Amino acid sequence: MIDKNSPIPVYYQLKEDIKNKIDIGVWKVGQCINSERELSDHYSVSRMTVRQALGELVQEGLLIREKGKGTFVCEPKVKQKNMMSFSELVNKTGRNLKTKVTVLEVIDTPEELVQIFSEIKLYRINRVRYVDEEVVANEEVYIPCEYCGYLNKNQLEESLFKLLESKGYGIESCESSLVAIIMNDELKELFEINEQVPLLKSHNINFNSEGKVVYVEDAIYRSDKYILEINISQREGQVK
């Protein structure tokens, strides 16, 4: 199963074989996988190699370590690493997405958004996003009314990206800021849970191809259910 003469690192081969076993159901969600010693003996590799492979799978959200108990298979997380609508992202994973629109109203531009939109009428939209019947995200969105025309809640249960694209306002780029937040009673009610879970809040300004702001969004995600990957590259000509 492990080719030690291959140019592919041994730990990576092991990691991929463990992922494959999870994919085909040898180890199911919530199940404890074999111990480091058992994996080391089974694959004839060192414990350090096993530890490296498992460590990367933990970082990727496929496994979780519980002290004194073992390493367990995680429930799959929604994973985003490029510009893509949340609806499209979940649908690509084959999971069930449901959107509940809790607010749809026309408002004057709030003071904190005047510099972005000037003093115009905006749609304020709040959506709760369910993945496999669990609340994973809450989104508060502000869009100029002139961009969308008449909107109803049924339209907003589908992809907002696609809706805006159909109106001629496709999203080409986004500026985001991220911060971890602590769950309080209000958020427990919003996410329909009683226990503490980690949350990630993002503030996103979305632009079209001409650099015009299309909409602003404040979103809160359960970070035990959602992963956002960010790629950062050095600018050309920057001194190392």
Side-chain angles (χ1 to χ4, degrees):
M1 288 181 290
I2 299 293
D3 181 1
K4 295 184 179 179
N5 294 317
S6 170
I8 301 173
V10 172
Y11 87 89
Y12 187 84
Q13 294 181 56
L14 173 58
K15 171 185 165 183
E16 291 302 302
D17 197 63
I18 293 172
K19 285 172 70 173
N20 181 60
K21 283 182 167 60
I22 293 172
D23 288 341
I24 65 177
V26 173
W27 292 309
K28 302 183 185 301
V29 172
Q31 185 176 351
C32 184
I33 70 169
N34 293 353
S35 68
E36 287 186 6
R37 179 183 57 78
E38 290 169 332
L39 291 171
S40 175
D41 292 343
H42 179 71
Y43 288 97
S44 298
V45 297
S46 70
R47 292 277 291 272
M48 183 176 294
T49 297
V50 172
R51 195 168 295 124
Q52 184 175 3
L54 295 183
E56 291 204 0
L57 291 171
V58 169
Q59 288 183 341
E60 292 176 13
L62 273 73
L63 299 175
I64 185 170
R65 288 192 176 111
E66 294 189 14
K67 191 173 181 179
K69 294 183 179 180
T71 304
F72 295 81
V73 179
C74 290
E75 179 183 350
K77 297 184 181 182
V78 178
K79 189 173 184 178
Q80 183 167 0
K81 57 183 178 181
N82 54 27
M83 286 291 298
M84 184 185 295
S85 78
F86 192 83
S87 301
E88 184 183 357
L89 182 68
V90 175
N91 290 335
K92 280 183 176 291
T93 68
R95 303 174 71 183
N96 180 51
L97 173 67
K98 182 177 75 173
T99 299
K100 179 181 178 182
V101 181
T102 59
V103 175
L104 172 57
E105 63 178 357
V106 176
I107 64 169
D108 294 324
T109 302
E111 184 178 344
E112 65 271 19
L113 296 179
V114 168
Q115 287 189 331
I116 296 175
F117 291 121
S118 301
E119 295 183 4
I120 58 175
K121 295 291 185 180
L122 303 178
Y123 279 116
R124 173 178 169 256
I125 301 161
N126 190 282
R127 304 193 300 175
V128 180
R129 316 304 295 275
Y130 295 78
V131 177
D132 295 339
E133 303 302 321
E134 283 189 296
V135 180
V136 172
N138 178 253
E139 302 167 346
E140 182 97 341
V141 178
Y142 298 90
I143 310 174
C145 295
E146 63 184 82
Y147 294 178
C148 303
Y150 172 76
L151 282 182
N152 60 50
K153 288 187 176 182
N154 289 337
Q155 290 173 293
L156 294 169
E157 289 174 356
E158 305 299 329
S159 169
L160 183 59
F161 264 42
K162 289 185 177 180
L163 174 63
L164 288 166
E165 194 172 63
S166 71
K167 304 287 186 179
Y169 292 96
I171 304 302
E172 293 292 330
S173 63
C174 177
E175 290 182 0
S176 298
S177 59
L178 303 170
V179 63
I181 61 174
I182 297 173
M183 177 162 281
N184 55 26
D185 290 340
E186 182 181 352
L187 290 171
K188 285 181 181 179
E189 183 177 353
L190 175 63
F191 282 88
E192 300 177 5
I193 54 177
N194 293 318
E195 72 272 20
Q196 288 280 346
V197 298
L199 298 175
L200 182 68
K201 183 175 183 178
S202 65
H203 177 70
N204 309 299
I205 304 175
N206 297 275
F207 302 85
N208 66 6
S209 58
E210 299 173 351
K212 187 175 186 177
V213 177
V214 178
Y215 73 92
V216 173
E217 174 190 62
D218 288 303
I220 300 175
Y221 300 95
R222 282 186 59 168
S223 57
D224 61 333
K225 304 287 183 181
Y226 173 88
I227 298 174
L228 175 63
E229 290 189 349
I230 300 174
N231 296 317
I232 300 174
S233 59
Q234 189 179 48
R235 292 180 179 178
E236 291 185 12
Q238 184 175 353
V239 178
K240 295 183 178 180

